[in-house]
Short mmCIF file of all heavy atoms in Angstrom, two decimals:
data_model
loop_
_atom_site.label_atom_id
_atom_site.label_comp_id
_atom_site.label_asym_id
_atom_site.label_seq_id
_atom_site.Cartn_x
_atom_site.Cartn_y
_atom_site.Cartn_z
N PHE S 27 -0.97 8.06 -12.55
CA PHE S 27 -2.22 8.01 -13.34
C PHE S 27 -2.38 9.22 -14.22
O PHE S 27 -2.94 9.13 -15.34
CB PHE S 27 -3.42 7.80 -12.40
CG PHE S 27 -3.29 6.49 -11.65
CD1 PHE S 27 -2.94 6.47 -10.30
CD2 PHE S 27 -3.44 5.29 -12.30
CE1 PHE S 27 -2.74 5.28 -9.64
CE2 PHE S 27 -3.31 4.06 -11.63
CZ PHE S 27 -2.92 4.04 -10.31
N VAL S 48 -6.22 1.08 -12.34
CA VAL S 48 -6.33 1.59 -10.95
C VAL S 48 -6.67 0.46 -10.02
O VAL S 48 -7.55 -0.38 -10.37
CB VAL S 48 -7.43 2.69 -10.88
CG1 VAL S 48 -7.50 3.29 -9.47
CG2 VAL S 48 -7.16 3.81 -11.90
N GLY S 49 -6.05 0.41 -8.89
CA GLY S 49 -6.32 -0.66 -7.90
C GLY S 49 -7.54 -0.38 -7.08
O GLY S 49 -7.50 -0.43 -5.85
N GLU S 50 -8.66 -0.08 -7.77
CA GLU S 50 -9.93 0.24 -7.06
C GLU S 50 -10.81 -1.03 -7.08
O GLU S 50 -11.37 -1.35 -8.12
CB GLU S 50 -10.62 1.38 -7.70
CG GLU S 50 -11.90 1.79 -7.02
CD GLU S 50 -12.66 2.81 -7.79
OE1 GLU S 50 -13.17 2.51 -8.91
OE2 GLU S 50 -12.77 3.94 -7.32
N PRO S 51 -10.97 -1.70 -5.92
CA PRO S 51 -11.74 -2.94 -5.91
C PRO S 51 -13.18 -2.68 -6.46
O PRO S 51 -13.82 -1.70 -6.09
CB PRO S 51 -11.79 -3.31 -4.45
CG PRO S 51 -10.57 -2.70 -3.85
CD PRO S 51 -10.41 -1.40 -4.63
N LEU S 109 -7.43 6.34 10.67
CA LEU S 109 -6.90 7.13 9.53
C LEU S 109 -7.99 7.31 8.52
O LEU S 109 -8.88 6.46 8.37
CB LEU S 109 -5.76 6.34 8.85
CG LEU S 109 -4.54 5.96 9.70
CD1 LEU S 109 -3.61 5.09 8.88
CD2 LEU S 109 -3.84 7.20 10.24
N ASN S 110 -7.88 8.38 7.76
CA ASN S 110 -8.83 8.62 6.66
C ASN S 110 -8.34 7.86 5.42
O ASN S 110 -7.93 8.45 4.41
CB ASN S 110 -8.90 10.13 6.42
CG ASN S 110 -10.07 10.53 5.53
OD1 ASN S 110 -10.13 10.12 4.37
ND2 ASN S 110 -10.98 11.27 6.07
N GLY S 111 -8.34 6.53 5.58
CA GLY S 111 -7.67 5.67 4.54
C GLY S 111 -6.20 5.70 4.84
O GLY S 111 -5.68 6.63 5.52
N SER S 112 -5.47 4.65 4.38
CA SER S 112 -4.07 4.60 4.75
C SER S 112 -3.20 5.59 3.99
O SER S 112 -2.10 5.92 4.42
CB SER S 112 -3.52 3.17 4.61
OG SER S 112 -3.66 2.72 3.27
N ARG S 113 -3.68 6.13 2.86
CA ARG S 113 -2.85 7.00 2.05
C ARG S 113 -2.40 8.22 2.81
O ARG S 113 -1.21 8.53 2.88
CB ARG S 113 -3.59 7.43 0.77
CG ARG S 113 -2.77 8.36 -0.07
CD ARG S 113 -3.32 8.46 -1.45
NE ARG S 113 -4.15 9.64 -1.60
CZ ARG S 113 -4.37 10.22 -2.78
NH1 ARG S 113 -3.89 9.74 -3.86
NH2 ARG S 113 -5.19 11.25 -2.86
N GLU S 114 -3.40 8.97 3.36
CA GLU S 114 -2.95 10.18 4.12
C GLU S 114 -2.11 9.79 5.32
O GLU S 114 -1.24 10.54 5.77
CB GLU S 114 -4.17 11.03 4.50
CG GLU S 114 -5.22 10.39 5.45
CD GLU S 114 -4.87 10.53 6.92
OE1 GLU S 114 -3.88 11.15 7.26
OE2 GLU S 114 -5.64 10.00 7.73
N GLY S 115 -2.43 8.62 5.88
CA GLY S 115 -1.70 8.14 7.07
C GLY S 115 -0.23 7.91 6.77
O GLY S 115 0.67 8.30 7.51
N LEU S 116 0.02 7.27 5.59
CA LEU S 116 1.40 7.04 5.18
C LEU S 116 2.14 8.31 4.92
O LEU S 116 3.31 8.50 5.30
CB LEU S 116 1.40 6.11 3.96
CG LEU S 116 0.92 4.68 4.24
CD1 LEU S 116 0.40 4.01 2.94
CD2 LEU S 116 1.98 3.82 4.91
N PHE S 142 7.01 1.72 -5.77
CA PHE S 142 6.46 2.12 -4.46
C PHE S 142 5.09 2.81 -4.63
O PHE S 142 4.78 3.22 -5.75
CB PHE S 142 7.43 3.03 -3.74
CG PHE S 142 7.72 4.30 -4.56
CD1 PHE S 142 6.99 5.46 -4.32
CD2 PHE S 142 8.67 4.31 -5.57
CE1 PHE S 142 7.20 6.59 -5.08
CE2 PHE S 142 8.90 5.45 -6.33
CZ PHE S 142 8.18 6.58 -6.09
N TYR S 143 4.37 2.88 -3.55
CA TYR S 143 3.09 3.60 -3.54
C TYR S 143 3.43 5.10 -3.43
O TYR S 143 4.20 5.50 -2.54
CB TYR S 143 2.22 3.12 -2.40
CG TYR S 143 0.89 3.75 -2.32
CD1 TYR S 143 -0.05 3.61 -3.35
CD2 TYR S 143 0.54 4.56 -1.25
CE1 TYR S 143 -1.30 4.23 -3.29
CE2 TYR S 143 -0.70 5.17 -1.20
CZ TYR S 143 -1.59 5.03 -2.25
OH TYR S 143 -2.81 5.67 -2.21
N PRO S 144 2.88 5.98 -4.29
CA PRO S 144 3.36 7.34 -4.40
C PRO S 144 3.32 8.17 -3.10
O PRO S 144 4.15 9.06 -2.90
CB PRO S 144 2.45 7.99 -5.44
CG PRO S 144 1.97 6.84 -6.30
CD PRO S 144 1.90 5.63 -5.37
N ALA S 145 2.43 7.84 -2.18
CA ALA S 145 2.32 8.63 -0.94
C ALA S 145 3.61 8.54 -0.15
O ALA S 145 3.95 9.46 0.63
CB ALA S 145 1.15 8.16 -0.10
N TYR S 146 4.40 7.41 -0.26
CA TYR S 146 5.64 7.31 0.52
C TYR S 146 6.61 8.45 0.08
O TYR S 146 7.29 9.06 0.90
CB TYR S 146 6.37 6.00 0.28
CG TYR S 146 5.60 4.72 0.39
CD1 TYR S 146 6.12 3.54 -0.20
CD2 TYR S 146 4.42 4.60 1.06
CE1 TYR S 146 5.46 2.32 -0.09
CE2 TYR S 146 3.74 3.38 1.12
CZ TYR S 146 4.28 2.25 0.55
OH TYR S 146 3.63 1.05 0.63
N VAL S 188 7.93 -0.19 4.19
CA VAL S 188 7.88 -1.54 3.58
C VAL S 188 6.41 -1.86 3.27
O VAL S 188 5.49 -1.40 3.99
CB VAL S 188 8.47 -2.65 4.47
CG1 VAL S 188 9.99 -2.63 4.48
CG2 VAL S 188 7.94 -2.59 5.90
N ALA S 189 6.20 -2.58 2.21
CA ALA S 189 4.82 -2.96 1.86
C ALA S 189 4.78 -4.49 1.66
O ALA S 189 5.53 -5.01 0.83
CB ALA S 189 4.40 -2.25 0.61
N SER S 190 3.94 -5.14 2.41
CA SER S 190 3.74 -6.56 2.25
C SER S 190 2.28 -6.94 2.54
O SER S 190 1.82 -6.62 3.63
CB SER S 190 4.66 -7.35 3.20
OG SER S 190 4.35 -8.74 3.24
N PRO S 191 1.60 -7.57 1.62
CA PRO S 191 2.00 -7.82 0.24
C PRO S 191 2.33 -6.53 -0.48
O PRO S 191 1.71 -5.47 -0.25
CB PRO S 191 0.76 -8.48 -0.40
CG PRO S 191 0.02 -9.06 0.74
CD PRO S 191 0.27 -8.19 1.95
N ALA S 192 3.36 -6.61 -1.33
CA ALA S 192 3.85 -5.44 -2.04
C ALA S 192 2.92 -5.09 -3.22
O ALA S 192 2.41 -5.98 -3.88
CB ALA S 192 5.25 -5.71 -2.53
N ASN S 193 2.72 -3.81 -3.37
CA ASN S 193 2.14 -3.28 -4.62
C ASN S 193 3.32 -2.68 -5.39
O ASN S 193 4.00 -1.82 -4.83
CB ASN S 193 1.09 -2.21 -4.27
CG ASN S 193 0.57 -1.50 -5.48
OD1 ASN S 193 0.87 -1.85 -6.61
ND2 ASN S 193 -0.17 -0.44 -5.20
N PRO S 194 3.60 -3.14 -6.60
CA PRO S 194 2.80 -3.89 -7.52
C PRO S 194 3.01 -5.44 -7.56
O PRO S 194 2.22 -6.15 -8.12
CB PRO S 194 3.17 -3.31 -8.91
CG PRO S 194 4.62 -2.98 -8.73
CD PRO S 194 4.74 -2.52 -7.27
N ASP S 221 3.33 -0.91 5.48
CA ASP S 221 2.04 -0.77 4.77
C ASP S 221 1.46 -2.20 4.52
O ASP S 221 1.99 -2.94 3.74
CB ASP S 221 2.34 -0.06 3.43
CG ASP S 221 1.06 0.15 2.58
OD1 ASP S 221 0.00 -0.37 2.93
OD2 ASP S 221 1.18 0.86 1.56
N GLU S 222 0.40 -2.49 5.27
CA GLU S 222 -0.13 -3.85 5.23
C GLU S 222 -1.57 -3.87 4.70
O GLU S 222 -2.36 -4.71 5.01
CB GLU S 222 -0.02 -4.46 6.64
CG GLU S 222 1.44 -4.48 7.10
CD GLU S 222 1.73 -5.10 8.47
OE1 GLU S 222 0.78 -5.66 9.07
OE2 GLU S 222 2.88 -5.03 8.93
N CYS S 223 -1.86 -2.87 3.82
CA CYS S 223 -3.28 -2.75 3.41
C CYS S 223 -3.75 -3.91 2.52
O CYS S 223 -4.95 -4.09 2.35
CB CYS S 223 -3.53 -1.39 2.76
SG CYS S 223 -2.85 -1.19 1.11
N TYR S 224 -2.82 -4.70 1.97
CA TYR S 224 -3.23 -5.83 1.14
C TYR S 224 -3.16 -7.15 1.95
O TYR S 224 -3.27 -8.24 1.36
CB TYR S 224 -2.34 -5.98 -0.09
CG TYR S 224 -2.58 -4.96 -1.14
CD1 TYR S 224 -1.84 -3.81 -1.21
CD2 TYR S 224 -3.59 -5.12 -2.10
CE1 TYR S 224 -2.07 -2.83 -2.17
CE2 TYR S 224 -3.83 -4.18 -3.08
CZ TYR S 224 -3.06 -3.03 -3.09
OH TYR S 224 -3.30 -2.09 -4.06
N PHE S 250 0.17 -0.01 9.01
CA PHE S 250 -0.93 0.74 8.38
C PHE S 250 -1.91 -0.27 7.76
O PHE S 250 -1.51 -1.10 6.93
CB PHE S 250 -0.41 1.71 7.36
CG PHE S 250 0.42 2.79 7.98
CD1 PHE S 250 1.75 2.54 8.32
CD2 PHE S 250 -0.13 4.00 8.33
CE1 PHE S 250 2.51 3.50 8.95
CE2 PHE S 250 0.64 4.96 8.99
CZ PHE S 250 1.98 4.74 9.30
N GLN S 251 -3.18 -0.18 8.15
CA GLN S 251 -4.24 -1.05 7.67
C GLN S 251 -5.32 -0.20 7.04
O GLN S 251 -5.42 1.01 7.25
CB GLN S 251 -4.78 -1.90 8.83
CG GLN S 251 -4.03 -3.19 9.09
CD GLN S 251 -4.22 -4.23 8.00
OE1 GLN S 251 -5.12 -4.10 7.12
NE2 GLN S 251 -3.41 -5.27 7.98
N SER S 252 -6.19 -0.90 6.29
CA SER S 252 -7.23 -0.15 5.56
C SER S 252 -8.38 -1.10 5.25
O SER S 252 -8.14 -2.31 5.07
CB SER S 252 -6.62 0.36 4.28
OG SER S 252 -7.65 0.85 3.40
N LEU S 253 -9.56 -0.50 5.13
CA LEU S 253 -10.69 -1.34 4.69
C LEU S 253 -10.90 -1.27 3.19
O LEU S 253 -11.81 -1.93 2.64
CB LEU S 253 -11.98 -0.85 5.40
CG LEU S 253 -12.06 -1.20 6.87
CD1 LEU S 253 -13.29 -0.57 7.50
CD2 LEU S 253 -12.04 -2.70 7.13
N SER S 254 -10.08 -0.49 2.50
CA SER S 254 -10.29 -0.27 1.04
C SER S 254 -10.20 -1.61 0.30
O SER S 254 -11.06 -1.89 -0.53
CB SER S 254 -9.25 0.67 0.50
OG SER S 254 -9.40 1.94 1.14
N LYS S 255 -9.17 -2.40 0.57
CA LYS S 255 -8.99 -3.65 -0.20
C LYS S 255 -9.66 -4.80 0.59
O LYS S 255 -10.27 -5.65 -0.02
CB LYS S 255 -7.50 -3.93 -0.37
CG LYS S 255 -6.64 -2.73 -0.64
CD LYS S 255 -6.78 -2.12 -2.02
CE LYS S 255 -5.91 -0.88 -2.16
NZ LYS S 255 -6.02 -0.16 -3.38
N LEU S 259 -14.10 -1.29 0.34
CA LEU S 259 -14.68 0.02 0.72
C LEU S 259 -13.69 1.16 0.49
O LEU S 259 -13.37 1.92 1.43
CB LEU S 259 -15.10 -0.05 2.21
CG LEU S 259 -16.28 -0.93 2.53
CD1 LEU S 259 -16.46 -1.13 4.04
CD2 LEU S 259 -17.56 -0.34 1.94
N PRO S 260 -13.18 1.28 -0.75
CA PRO S 260 -12.18 2.32 -0.97
C PRO S 260 -12.80 3.73 -0.82
O PRO S 260 -12.07 4.68 -0.50
CB PRO S 260 -11.75 2.11 -2.44
CG PRO S 260 -12.85 1.38 -3.08
CD PRO S 260 -13.42 0.50 -1.97
N GLY S 261 -14.12 3.84 -0.94
CA GLY S 261 -14.71 5.18 -0.80
C GLY S 261 -15.10 5.50 0.65
O GLY S 261 -15.49 6.61 0.94
N LEU S 262 -14.99 4.54 1.55
CA LEU S 262 -15.32 4.79 2.94
C LEU S 262 -14.28 5.69 3.58
O LEU S 262 -14.57 6.52 4.40
CB LEU S 262 -15.41 3.45 3.73
CG LEU S 262 -15.98 3.52 5.13
CD1 LEU S 262 -17.46 3.78 5.11
CD2 LEU S 262 -15.68 2.19 5.89
N ARG S 263 -13.01 5.51 3.15
CA ARG S 263 -11.84 6.20 3.68
C ARG S 263 -11.71 5.91 5.16
O ARG S 263 -11.70 6.80 6.01
CB ARG S 263 -11.93 7.72 3.45
CG ARG S 263 -12.21 8.19 2.07
CD ARG S 263 -11.37 7.54 1.00
NE ARG S 263 -9.93 7.72 1.17
CZ ARG S 263 -9.06 6.73 0.98
NH1 ARG S 263 -9.44 5.49 0.54
NH2 ARG S 263 -7.77 6.92 1.17
N VAL S 264 -11.55 4.63 5.48
CA VAL S 264 -11.22 4.25 6.86
C VAL S 264 -10.08 3.25 6.90
O VAL S 264 -10.10 2.24 6.21
CB VAL S 264 -12.43 3.67 7.65
CG1 VAL S 264 -12.00 3.36 9.09
CG2 VAL S 264 -13.61 4.67 7.68
N GLY S 265 -9.10 3.57 7.68
CA GLY S 265 -7.99 2.66 7.98
C GLY S 265 -7.50 2.96 9.36
O GLY S 265 -8.14 3.72 10.12
N PHE S 266 -6.42 2.35 9.74
CA PHE S 266 -5.84 2.70 11.05
C PHE S 266 -4.35 2.43 11.05
O PHE S 266 -3.83 1.73 10.20
CB PHE S 266 -6.56 1.95 12.21
CG PHE S 266 -6.31 0.44 12.22
CD1 PHE S 266 -5.20 -0.10 12.87
CD2 PHE S 266 -7.20 -0.42 11.61
CE1 PHE S 266 -4.98 -1.48 12.90
CE2 PHE S 266 -7.03 -1.80 11.64
CZ PHE S 266 -5.91 -2.32 12.31
N PHE S 337 -3.61 -8.11 -5.46
CA PHE S 337 -4.46 -8.49 -6.59
C PHE S 337 -3.94 -7.99 -7.96
O PHE S 337 -4.68 -7.83 -8.91
CB PHE S 337 -5.91 -8.01 -6.40
CG PHE S 337 -6.11 -6.55 -6.04
CD1 PHE S 337 -5.60 -5.54 -6.82
CD2 PHE S 337 -6.88 -6.19 -4.94
CE1 PHE S 337 -5.78 -4.22 -6.50
CE2 PHE S 337 -7.08 -4.85 -4.59
CZ PHE S 337 -6.54 -3.86 -5.40
N CYS S 338 -2.63 -7.76 -7.99
CA CYS S 338 -2.01 -7.27 -9.24
C CYS S 338 -1.18 -8.35 -9.94
O CYS S 338 -0.62 -9.21 -9.29
CB CYS S 338 -1.14 -6.08 -8.96
SG CYS S 338 -2.05 -4.67 -8.38
N ARG S 386 1.66 -3.24 -14.85
CA ARG S 386 0.87 -3.73 -13.71
C ARG S 386 -0.59 -3.85 -14.15
O ARG S 386 -1.17 -2.91 -14.72
CB ARG S 386 0.94 -2.71 -12.56
CG ARG S 386 0.32 -3.32 -11.28
CD ARG S 386 0.16 -2.27 -10.20
NE ARG S 386 -0.96 -1.39 -10.50
CZ ARG S 386 -1.38 -0.48 -9.64
NH1 ARG S 386 -0.80 -0.30 -8.46
NH2 ARG S 386 -2.42 0.33 -9.94
C1 LIG D 501 0.32 -0.17 -1.47
C2 LIG D 501 -0.85 0.75 -1.10
N1 LIG D 501 -0.80 1.38 0.05
C3 LIG D 501 -1.77 2.22 0.41
C4 LIG D 501 -2.84 2.47 -0.38
C5 LIG D 501 -3.87 3.43 0.05
O1 LIG D 501 -5.12 2.91 0.24
P1 LIG D 501 -6.25 3.62 1.11
O2 LIG D 501 -5.88 5.04 1.26
O3 LIG D 501 -7.48 3.42 0.30
O4 LIG D 501 -6.27 2.90 2.43
C6 LIG D 501 -2.93 1.81 -1.64
C7 LIG D 501 -4.08 2.06 -2.54
O5 LIG D 501 -4.14 1.68 -3.68
C8 LIG D 501 -1.90 0.93 -1.97
O6 LIG D 501 -1.92 0.28 -3.16
#
Side-chain angles (χ1 to χ4, degrees):
F27 298 105
V48 184
E50 180 187 69
L109 303 175
N110 193 297
S112 59
R113 178 165 97 157
E114 63 85 1
L116 292 158
F142 59 94
Y143 182 64
Y146 310 161
V188 282
S190 169
N193 172 9
D221 181 352
E222 301 182 5
C223 74
Y224 286 95
F250 295 81
Q251 274 288 348
S252 168
L253 289 175
S254 299
K255 323 288 178 184
L259 291 169
L262 190 71
R263 308 313 302 141
V264 182
F266 69 87
F337 52 53
C338 294
R386 190 190 76 175

